[in-house]
């Protein structure tokens, strides 16, 4: 019995050591989920070219004093004659100030298809506005993909473009988060699975803005 306990302790210590090394080398990433969805926000930014299908889902918010500094997309690859859905989800990556050692992710409701792309980050600062690539409704017998890709503008001026699909066109940029603030939350407009009919999944997205209370 004692040897079993000692083995368990050794395994636990090994896991802790690995965890600490990962935290130092790559940062610690945790899902915030709906834990902070009551966080107050100063404004919401939207675009005008989102598509018509589905419903707005729950918000997910970065923790207090955290802002979005990066993102990842859930994208279904081209289906070559089968039903394409393109962009299925957007995951925001939140940090406090310029520290990237402890990160939270938030994503609202996502679709069911595709894989998550490699995260992209602002070299400095946080996300402040966005532009959405959308394929318009394709008619009764067409294959709707709706939202295909997204671009974000950073407060340090670079523009980051996701690794989404290429159907449709980019619309106008959203307004920017004001007064030095940035994106701090997300809500998605999602069409639920259509049971063998045409799926479009993500149709639109909108983001919450919060004040920047971290030291620059």
């Amino acid at each position: 019995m004692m040897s079993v306990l000692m083995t368990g302790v050794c395994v636990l210590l090994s896991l802790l050591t690995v965890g600490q090394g990962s935290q130092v080398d790559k940062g610690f990433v945790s899902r915030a989920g709906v834990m902070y969805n009551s966080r107050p926000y100063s404004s919401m930014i939207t675009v005008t070219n989102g598509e018509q299908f589905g419903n707005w889902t729950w918000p997910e918010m970065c923790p207090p004093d955290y802002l979005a500094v990066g993102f990842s997309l859930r994208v279904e690859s081209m289906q070559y004659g089968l039903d394409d859905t393109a962009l299925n989800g957007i995951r925001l990556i939140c940090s406090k100030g310029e520290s990237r050692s402890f990160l939270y992710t938030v994503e609202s409701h996502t679709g069911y298809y595709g894989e998550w792309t490699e995260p992209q980050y602002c070299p400095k600062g946080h996300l402040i506005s966005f532009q959405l690539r959308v394929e318009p409704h394709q008619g009764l017998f067409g294959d709707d993909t709706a939202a295909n890709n997204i671009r974000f503008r950073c407060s340090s001026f670079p523009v980051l473009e996701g690794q989404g699909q290429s159907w449709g066109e980019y619309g106008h940029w959203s307004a920017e988060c004001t007064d030095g603030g940035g994106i701090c939350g997300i809500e998605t407009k999602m069409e639920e699975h259509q049971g063998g009919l045409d799926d479009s999944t993500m149709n639109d997205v909108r983001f919450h803005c919060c004040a920047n209370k971290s030291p620059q």
Side-chain angles (χ1 to χ4, degrees):
M1 184 68 174
M2 181 62 70
S3 62
V4 172
L5 288 174
M6 290 301 295
T7 300
V9 170
C10 291
V11 170
L12 178 59
L13 288 174
S14 297
L15 289 174
L16 287 173
T17 303
V18 171
Q20 288 170 353
S22 299
Q23 182 171 340
V24 171
D25 295 338
K26 299 181 181 178
F28 182 78
V29 180
S30 178
R31 175 80 185 275
V34 298
M35 184 183 303
Y36 305 104
N37 67 353
S38 61
R39 175 183 176 180
Y41 58 93
S42 57
S43 63
M44 184 178 290
I45 54 175
T46 63
V47 290
T48 58
N49 64 323
E51 257 304 326
Q52 60 186 294
F53 304 109
N55 297 292
W56 288 104
T57 61
W58 63 88
E60 286 198 15
M61 305 290 290
C62 300
D65 299 334
Y66 281 65
L67 297 175
V69 297
F71 71 100
S72 176
L73 303 181
R74 187 175 189 179
V75 181
E76 182 185 47
S77 60
M78 187 181 296
Q79 297 299 292
Y80 299 101
L82 300 178
D83 184 19
D84 287 292
T85 63
L87 183 59
N88 275 244
I90 300 171
R91 176 180 289 163
L92 298 178
I93 304 170
C94 313
S95 79
K96 188 174 183 179
E98 293 302 321
S99 172
R100 306 291 169 88
S101 61
F102 195 95
L103 303 170
Y104 279 98
T105 66
V106 293
E107 60 194 50
S108 188
H109 183 25
T110 65
Y112 307 102
Y113 308 105
E115 304 295 332
W116 290 100
T117 63
E118 285 294 315
Q120 299 182 61
Y121 297 90
C122 294
K124 186 178 180 181
H126 42 266
L127 307 179
I128 58 171
S129 65
F130 75 104
Q131 189 182 27
L132 195 62
R133 184 169 197 153
V134 179
E135 181 184 48
H137 177 40
Q138 297 297 290
L140 184 60
F141 300 107
D143 182 4
D144 288 305
T145 62
N148 270 245
N149 205 355
I150 194 167
R151 291 172 178 155
F152 286 100
R153 180 174 286 123
C154 300
S155 58
S156 54
F157 302 115
V159 171
L160 306 178
E161 181 168 16
Q163 300 166 23
Q165 294 291 4
S166 58
W167 294 297
E169 303 291 338
Y170 278 104
H172 296 295
W173 282 93
S174 72
E176 293 187 356
C177 297
T178 59
D179 300 324
I183 291 174
C184 60
I186 179 174
E187 294 179 41
T188 52
K189 186 178 183 181
M190 302 293 298
E191 181 185 49
E192 291 296 339
H193 180 53
Q194 297 298 293
L197 301 177
D198 181 25
D199 286 301
S200 64
T201 62
M202 182 177 288
N203 274 242
D204 202 353
V205 63
R206 56 194 183 194
F207 296 99
H208 302 261
C209 294
C210 296
N212 183 14
K213 297 182 180 180
S214 298
Q216 299 299 303

